[in-house]
Amino acid sequence: MNEQAPDRMTYREACRQAIRDALIRDPRCFVMGEDVGLYGGCYAVTKGLLEEFGPERIRDTPLAESVITGAGIGAAIGGLRPVVEIMTCNFSLLALDQIVNNAATIAHMSGGQFAVPLVIRMATGGGRQLAAQHSHSLEGWYAHIPGITVLAPGTIEDARLMLAAALADPNPVLIFEHVVLYNAEGELDPAITSVDIRKARIRREGRDLTILTYGGSLPKALAAAGELAAAGIEAEIVDLRVLRPLDNETIYASVGRTRRCVIVDEGWRSGSLSAELAARLAEDLFFELDAPIRRVCTREVPIPYAAHMEDAALPQVADIVEAARGLVRPE
């Protein structure tokens, strides 16, 4: 029996292959966004697709996020499968009315008569010196809204396979791709052809504490787990992957087992996804905990441009290690 060797690729290439595969599989699928065609996408994710699929399916749009999203909603209701690209989640605020008041509500307000199978991809996060208006992490805001699914692929596998699952969903799905991951490399097992977009995944098993994280913070959490292991502390890493709906079952099982929890979230602490997770754990798992819940989040400032200040603002490996040590072996 011949087994295919794992494919090694970048996160960017995994995203590109996912889009290309969707376009090949379904003639109703098309991509729409700023610079997705001639320029190949601001992060080069759609590079080469215009030449292969033509301008009817790879559509460059004006700089008008609300218009792009509204057109995508209309196309989805009309039976197409649009993939809308918004350059950065900071700019998605210009489309907030379309996402929150239309995409998320139409199926409910029509009594299920109209589905909105719309997928919106957008870059998120800091770490590339793009300054405040291009570097924030707003996925936690969208995880607040019923009616949409919010995904945050943190691995090559999820970058490659989450899009297909999102397009199969009859309701709107938002995919947040962290900017520091586009150049990351990893292997994709050819035997894995689909992923579940309702479940979190344990990326590393451990006995002493659970680290809950997602997206661009996942590699940092794994690096922190490596440092902790060298000190005799075994951290279990839970990749949330799906920020709405949260997979309580996997989260609770892990924290219930380790009895300690650090939440790593690149969003600001106040009103964040980390706050929601901490509240749920306090409400439902309080008597299982042996220590307070700790959070490692971005400092509550607009993301700075200067590299050393940006690093100081964002969660870092050392911050995660310190928080974990404080729970397991407080000095």
Side-chain angles (χ1 to χ4, degrees):
M1 180 177 173
N2 292 326
E3 293 185 0
Q4 283 185 273
D7 294 328
R8 189 163 187 83
M9 66 182 73
T10 64
Y11 184 96
R12 173 186 293 103
E13 176 61 16
C15 293
R16 196 189 76 84
Q17 287 192 15
I19 296 170
R20 182 174 181 270
D21 187 51
L23 291 164
I24 292 171
R25 287 174 180 270
D26 190 343
R28 300 173 301 170
C29 183
F30 69 100
V31 178
M32 180 166 52
E34 299 158 0
D35 287 334
V36 299
L38 288 172
Y39 190 70
C42 62
Y43 292 101
V45 171
T46 53
K47 192 173 184 178
L49 297 181
L50 174 65
E51 291 79 4
E52 183 173 0
F53 294 97
E56 290 294 313
R57 303 187 69 193
I58 308 295
R59 288 178 170 264
D60 277 323
T61 66
L63 302 179
E65 286 77 10
S66 182
V67 172
I68 303 166
T69 307
I73 293 169
I77 293 174
L80 299 178
R81 290 292 182 272
V83 178
V84 169
E85 177 178 306
I86 294 179
M87 197 175 288
T88 153
C89 68
N90 298 263
F91 301 163
S92 74
L93 303 183
L94 296 162
L96 209 54
D97 179 58
Q98 292 289 358
I99 296 171
V100 178
N101 281 330
N102 290 325
T105 62
I106 286 174
H108 299 267
M109 296 181 70
S110 68
Q113 295 181 78
F114 300 108
V116 185
L118 169 69
V119 173
I120 302 175
R121 300 175 41 250
M122 55 183 107
T124 186
R128 294 187 62 167
Q129 276 196 276
L130 297 175
Q133 293 173 329
H134 295 70
S135 302
H136 292 145
S137 296
L138 305 180
E139 53 274 8
W141 291 13
Y142 289 101
H144 174 69
I145 302 164
I148 59 176
T149 294
V150 179
L151 306 179
T155 64
I156 300 295
E157 180 180 294
D158 279 347
R160 176 64 180 85
L161 299 173
M162 273 187 163
L163 179 63
L167 284 166
D169 195 306
N171 297 305
V173 179
L174 274 55
I175 302 177
F176 289 85
E177 298 162 2
H178 198 287
V179 293
V180 300
L181 294 178
Y182 282 125
N183 290 331
E185 291 188 15
E187 292 184 343
L188 180 68
D189 184 348
I192 299 174
T193 57
S194 64
V195 293
D196 186 347
I197 58 169
R198 288 291 180 270
K199 300 294 289 184
R201 291 276 297 274
I202 295 175
R203 300 297 185 189
R204 177 186 177 120
E205 294 184 350
R207 63 173 187 273
D208 296 321
L209 81 154
T210 296
I211 299 177
L212 303 177
T213 192
Y214 66 92
S217 295
L218 176 61
K220 295 178 181 177
L222 289 166
E227 290 190 22
L228 290 165
I233 299 172
E234 293 296 333
E236 182 152 290
I237 308 297
V238 176
D239 176 7
L240 299 171
R241 302 173 67 246
V242 187
L243 309 188
R244 187 181 183 94
L246 285 166
D247 176 11
N248 285 345
E249 182 180 359
T250 299
I251 295 168
Y252 290 1
S254 177
V255 177
R257 187 167 54 251
T258 65
R259 297 179 176 269
R260 296 175 177 84
C261 181
V262 174
I263 304 167
V264 184
D265 177 4
E266 198 175 302
W268 295 296
R269 179 187 297 251
S270 299
S272 63
L273 186 73
S274 69
E276 173 64 23
L277 285 162
R280 292 189 186 199
L281 292 172
E283 287 174 343
D284 300 332
L285 224 63
F286 181 80
F287 294 106
E288 305 296 324
L289 296 172
D290 284 345
I293 298 162
R294 297 299 186 208
R295 292 186 282 162
V296 179
C297 301
T298 289
R299 292 178 186 272
E300 306 226 358
V301 295
I303 301 297
Y305 172 75
H308 66 292
M309 294 178 67
E310 185 179 42
D311 287 346
L314 296 172
Q316 301 296 342
V317 173
D319 303 321
I320 303 168
V321 170
E322 182 182 1
R325 281 178 175 272
L327 289 185
V328 179
R329 293 178 185 167
E331 295 179 356

